Amino acid sequence: MTPRVLAVLGCLLFLLLWAEGREKARRLQTPEKKATRESKPWVAQGMGRKAKLVSPKPLPKVKSPMNSTAAPSAGKPPASILSQVVARGQFQKVPESLALRAGDALELRCRGRAVRWRYPAHLQDDEEGRLRVKHYAKFSQLLVVNATAADTGEYSCWSLQCQDSPCQEGEDRTGKTFVFFADPQELFVPTEDYYEVVQLRTNRPTLLPCQVTSPLARVTLHREFPPEEVPVDGRDISYDVRRGFTIHRSRPSYAGSLFCMASLGGVRQISTKYMLVYINYPSSAPKPTVRASGTSARVGENFNVTCTVLGEPEVAVDFTWEYPGQKVGRPPYVRERTDLVRRGGQVRQEAESTLYVDEARDVDAGLYTCRAENLEGSASAATCVRVLPAPRGGQPG
Ligand SMILES: *[C@@H]1O[C@H](CO)[C@@H](O)[C@H](O)[C@H]1NC(C)=O
Ligand SMILES: *[C@@H]1O[C@H](CO)[C@@H](O)[C@H](O)[C@H]1NC(C)=O
Ligand SMILES: *[C@@H]1O[C@H](CO)[C@@H](O)[C@H](O)[C@H]1NC(C)=O
């Protein structure tokens, strides 16, 4: 085999391995990217954080007085493994939410042999020993004593497996409830920060987590400058007594300082302030395509490799290159441009990065990889360029 054939084969093999590696990387990457700040208040024990995005579409009508604790759900709810201990030896099924008072105790039991709990992050740092979790043969007990407003939140449990135990077909093996610990002095669940910077992304809902400690509190949303109440119509912005306000459709006009106001029993308080920063997020990571001016170049010739990303206008795309000449310190000679183009009746942005190789040498043969990155993620594309010996007989002319 001639060295040239070897070089071509080597390049092909490289491309193959690279494509495989890229696929792997993508599979590994995807779930990580999904983490949102919405998962922040909860602590997962023995389980990765599970972030769930609110879908921007289904927007049921908001019930304006948020006073129903056990919201009646249509049909029979599945049997929960979670129950509340209301008195010694006396249990009751937990409703969707429980309204207790600061100072009260909460005792929950979860059926199963290997039970895990999830509770508000605040209790994780509990230093006074107010939280106690005890595992027994067939159930686990969670006890919170001298509860405070900050203990307000979701409490859930799940049973890991049920080998050796009579696991009934179709049995629901998780349970959760939202517990309010009302405190007349603390209408909002206390947070550490006086204000919080919140990204108002164009591609996903934004949560303003001003949680109240009583489901009876009346909560409104306000702008600081100019001082005004922000209308909450349940479509663009909705309110959930257990989560706070969700902005479903981001608009630049929502940017600025917002806060929530709660009133109950003659007391009125404001929440943490949220500094909303509008960010034009792309709907997805870029999908670059890469092409060389030719699949091969002769020694001494110029060639270029162009990486193109078609996407939404006004979304910044960063390009980085890996190329064979890097190893010997060939200076990168790159030019970038962005244009608006019309595709299928839509205005799209075409971002391009071109890597120029002047006077090709043998070291320039190989794989040219372009990595394109935007706020949603990154992806790579590559192409192989062969370098052929200069034609015999020198330059024409
Ligand atoms: C609670 O909600 C019901 C309707 O769901 C309403 O009739 C009642 O007046 C409300 N009570 C309070 C205290 O807001
Ligand atoms: C709970 O409060 C009571 C009375 O205020 C106190 O005696 C007890 O030590 C507290 N328990 C914990 C674990 O803080
Ligand atoms: C790349 O090289 C080809 C051939 O030399 C040339 O026609 C083309 O204009 C170059 N592309 C860019 C973006 O400069």
Side-chain angles (χ1 to χ4, degrees):
M1 278 200 273
T2 67
R4 199 187 306 166
V5 173
L6 272 177
V8 173
L9 283 177
C11 206
L12 282 176
L13 184 67
F14 199 25
L15 198 61
L16 212 74
L17 289 174
W18 171 85
E20 198 178 307
R22 185 169 89 135
E23 193 49 46
K24 252 184 225 158
R26 186 165 43 205
R27 264 180 272 134
L28 285 174
Q29 237 176 26
T30 328
E32 196 83 8
K33 285 271 174 214
K34 292 280 147 76
T36 69
R37 51 184 306 289
E38 281 165 53
S39 61
K40 191 177 123 194
W42 315 113
V43 176
Q45 283 197 306
M47 198 188 190
R49 277 169 156 207
K50 250 198 193 163
K52 219 168 143 199
L53 280 179
V54 192
S55 159
K57 270 162 254 160
L59 298 172
K61 273 185 218 137
V62 278
K63 292 173 247 151
S64 37
M66 308 288 176
N67 70 351
S68 64
T69 38
S73 59
K76 218 177 97 198
S80 172
I81 56 173
L82 184 65
S83 53
Q84 186 195 4
V85 184
V86 285
R88 189 165 274 280
Q90 206 185 322
F91 305 92
Q92 78 171 25
K93 250 173 38 182
V94 284
E96 256 178 51
S97 58
L98 285 168
L100 305 179
R101 273 176 309 199
D104 283 355
L106 170 71
E107 187 177 346
L108 296 172
R109 274 193 188 193
C110 192
R111 258 187 296 129
R113 282 166 190 253
V115 168
R116 293 286 177 275
W117 292 94
R118 202 180 290 192
Y119 39 80
H122 167 76
L123 278 171
Q124 184 94 72
D125 313 321
D126 162 51
E127 276 162 13
E128 300 117 55
R130 295 189 302 105
L131 171 76
R132 276 167 244 162
V133 173
K134 275 192 197 155
H135 298 289
Y136 296 94
K138 287 186 178 156
F139 67 94
S140 176
Q141 178 206 43
L142 177 141
L143 182 65
V144 179
V145 297
N146 300 352
T148 70
D151 300 335
T152 297
E154 190 174 272
Y155 290 75
S156 62
C157 71
W158 66 100
S159 124
L160 286 185
Q161 84 278 329
C162 42
Q163 309 145 332
D164 320 318
S165 69
C167 247
Q168 253 111 69
E169 189 71 24
E171 189 183 22
D172 194 354
R173 294 196 292 123
T174 66
K176 67 174 181 189
T177 186
F178 194 96
V179 186
F180 294 96
F181 289 104
D183 182 338
Q185 312 302 317
E186 301 269 15
L187 297 186
F188 286 104
V189 175
T191 57
E192 292 194 350
D193 305 311
Y194 172 68
Y195 82 90
E196 204 179 296
V197 176
V198 175
Q199 287 190 356
L200 193 56
R201 296 183 178 195
T202 45
N203 63 341
R204 62 184 61 163
T206 305
L207 179 71
L208 305 180
C210 53
Q211 268 172 2
V212 280
T213 60
S214 164
L216 300 176
R218 196 183 108 79
V219 187
T220 47
L221 184 61
H222 299 260
R223 174 172 298 283
E224 196 172 11
F225 302 112
E228 62 184 10
E229 186 173 337
V230 179
V232 175
D233 60 0
R235 273 174 57 84
D236 286 359
I237 304 182
S238 68
Y239 178 72
D240 179 335
V241 72
R242 289 175 287 190
R243 291 163 54 82
F245 288 97
T246 303
I247 300 175
H248 297 276
R249 252 166 280 175
S250 296
R251 299 213 177 104
S253 63
Y254 289 151
S257 173
L258 299 186
F259 60 87
C260 312
M261 187 183 284
S263 46
L264 180 66
V267 178
R268 199 186 250 205
Q269 286 178 351
I270 65 165
S271 70
T272 295
K273 288 189 177 147
Y274 302 102
M275 301 297 294
L276 271 63
V277 181
Y278 181 82
I279 299 178
N280 198 5
Y281 258 75
S283 57
S284 60
K287 294 175 197 72
T289 54
V290 69
R291 102 196 106 77
S293 51
T295 52
S296 62
R298 291 201 178 269
V299 167
E301 278 180 357
N302 297 348
F303 68 91
N304 58 56
V305 187
T306 301
C307 184
T308 310
V309 170
L310 207 58
E312 292 126 305
E314 319 231 342
V315 165
V317 183
D318 285 332
F319 293 99
T320 42
W321 286 94
E322 273 175 44
Y323 53 99
Q326 234 164 358
K327 293 189 283 273
V328 295
R330 290 275 261 166
Y333 176 29
V334 175
R335 196 171 288 162
E336 289 178 7
R337 62 163 194 91
T338 339
D339 282 324
L340 289 179
V341 294
R342 201 167 258 284
R343 291 288 145 85
Q346 275 189 320
V347 176
R348 316 224 57 202
Q349 171 182 275
E350 189 180 69
E352 248 179 30
S353 172
T354 303
L355 181 85
Y356 294 87
V357 178
D358 285 349
E359 295 174 15
R361 297 195 225 152
D362 287 335
V363 292
D364 296 319
L367 199 64
Y368 286 76
T369 307
C370 152
R371 202 171 87 98
E373 182 169 11
N374 67 19
L375 286 169
E376 261 310 294
S378 67
S380 302
T383 190
C384 222
V385 177
R386 286 181 294 154
V387 174
L388 311 174
R392 248 184 282 262
Q395 302 290 320

